[in-house]
Amino acid sequence: MSPVERGSYTAKFTDGPLEGKTIRTDFTSAGEPQARLTIPAAASSKKYLYRRSSGLEFGDSDRPSAVDYRYVEAIVG
């Protein structure tokens, strides 16, 4: 699949520093939701690592339209 064909979904952060926030992100080249996301913090060199959890929402497709992510750790540097 090309990047245009992959599509995207909403990543929902269920806890940690980004709790309640969402972002739009692309499916992997295999058509799956990303297993982990690294999100830069707003005002530092810190990044937040989130891993996919079991929460999935579906719209009009067999692929999820939204996926829950749980906080793992802050990465500095």
Side-chain angles (χ1 to χ4, degrees):
M1 281 187 208
S2 73
V4 173
E5 295 172 348
R6 280 196 263 177
S8 61
Y9 63 96
T10 300
K12 298 171 33 177
F13 302 112
T14 60
D15 61 357
L18 300 178
E19 181 176 0
K21 299 196 184 298
T22 63
I23 63 166
R24 198 88 183 139
T25 192
D26 292 334
F27 287 99
T28 66
S29 59
E32 298 292 323
Q34 302 285 335
R36 53 190 256 171
L37 297 172
T38 304
I39 310 300
S44 72
S45 62
K46 186 186 319 184
K47 297 177 186 174
Y48 301 121
L49 176 61
Y50 279 80
R51 290 194 186 257
R52 187 176 68 202
S53 64
S54 60
L56 301 171
E57 295 177 22
F58 291 87
D60 297 333
S61 172
D62 58 343
R63 294 196 305 179
S65 58
V67 177
D68 289 349
Y69 283 81
R70 302 284 319 240
Y71 177 71
V72 176
E73 66 180 339
I75 303 165
V76 179

